[in-house]
Amino acid sequence: MSPRRANPQLAERRRETLIRAGYAEILERGIQGTTIDSVVARAGSSKGGALYYFRTKDDLLFAVCEWLLSQLDRTLEEVTRTQQGPRAQLASELEVLFHSPEVNRKLYMVFFEFVVLSLRSERFRMLLFSFLEKCRKRDTAIIEEGIRQGQFRQVKPDDVARTIRGLVDGYCLQWMVAASAADLESYRNRCRAFLGAYLLRP
């Protein structure tokens, strides 16, 4: 009897344990240094159990990438949904995207690993593309509503949405490689100031 058939909830918990262990391994060793065996050891699982869920290392990596992006997407959806008004939604989104030095460093170390992988793998490229499209559509809708309410100037919402993603990822990359121990908050403030100058009515 398969673990999934015996207890679906337990099977899902075991799968997620392996995914989280895979994330930790990538963070520590990078994608090249991560193996099924190292993930199994970290998760306290068995290789047979791991292979039940993930037939190959590539399958495991895909599941980790999918899990990571879905976590981020869910958080962004939640904060924008619970805020009243486009300005508050964008402000909350930036708070999430510039969360903290510890969280951002971990997130982008793994995210950039998957970006490189996506340049060689179509299914990883499509997964990342799908995530970025969700971000673009969510931000486009926020900007459109801000224009409709008169909070934002008449701009091209899609262009602004793409700019937001570029600013966030670009600033986080600059922060990570900065020679000085620059405060992540200062990069968030630069992003916020730029968007405010561009979007808000004078």
Side-chain angles (χ1 to χ4, degrees):
M1 183 179 293
S2 72
R4 191 178 305 278
R5 215 174 270 168
N7 189 330
Q9 291 79 22
L10 178 60
E12 186 55 35
R13 286 199 300 272
R14 286 174 175 168
R15 183 178 184 276
E16 184 165 331
T17 296
L18 287 163
I19 289 172
R20 288 178 179 273
Y23 173 78
E25 283 294 298
I26 295 168
L27 187 62
E28 185 176 308
R29 304 168 185 265
I31 283 177
Q32 292 301 318
T34 297
T35 66
I36 290 284
D37 288 338
S38 69
V39 172
V40 165
R42 183 180 287 269
S45 182
S46 66
K47 190 164 185 177
L51 292 175
Y52 170 78
Y53 300 104
F54 311 108
R55 296 180 62 187
T56 65
K57 174 183 170 179
D58 201 56
D59 290 338
L60 173 60
L61 293 175
F62 188 85
V64 172
C65 186
E66 191 173 44
W67 170 82
L68 179 63
L69 296 178
S70 68
Q71 294 282 317
L72 182 54
D73 183 61
R74 189 179 303 117
T75 301
L76 291 170
E77 282 286 349
E78 199 172 292
V79 298
T80 54
R81 187 174 59 249
T82 56
Q83 292 298 325
Q84 296 296 319
R87 289 182 64 175
Q89 289 175 332
L90 282 185
S92 294
E93 187 174 298
L94 290 181
E95 290 295 327
V96 170
L97 294 170
F98 292 91
H99 185 279
S100 66
E102 181 183 6
V103 169
N104 277 61
R105 191 169 296 280
K106 288 180 179 179
L107 172 64
Y108 275 94
M109 281 179 68
V110 176
F111 180 74
F112 288 138
E113 288 262 2
F114 282 118
V115 169
V116 173
L117 184 58
S118 73
L119 299 178
R120 301 185 179 94
S121 168
E122 180 64 13
R123 72 169 179 158
F124 281 92
R125 187 189 70 80
M126 288 304 300
L127 182 60
L128 287 172
F129 177 78
S130 176
F131 167 73
L132 293 174
E133 278 294 283
K134 286 181 183 178
C135 292
R136 182 188 64 78
K137 290 177 181 178
R138 177 170 46 243
D139 290 339
T140 296
I142 292 172
I143 303 303
E144 287 174 342
E145 181 61 19
I147 294 171
R148 190 188 69 78
Q149 292 184 15
Q151 293 185 15
F152 300 152
R153 295 188 302 110
Q154 289 292 331
V155 295
K156 293 182 178 179
D158 186 72
D159 287 351
V160 178
R162 293 178 189 276
T163 299
I164 290 172
R165 191 75 246 171
L167 284 171
V168 170
D169 291 339
Y171 275 137
C172 284
L173 175 60
Q174 290 179 47
W175 167 73
M176 287 185 70
V177 301
S180 60
D183 186 3
L184 180 66
E185 187 177 351
S186 68
Y187 285 89
R188 183 200 63 202
N189 291 341
R190 288 172 190 156
C191 187
R192 182 185 292 163
F194 178 87
L195 290 173
Y198 187 68
L199 284 173
L200 299 182
R201 291 180 174 276

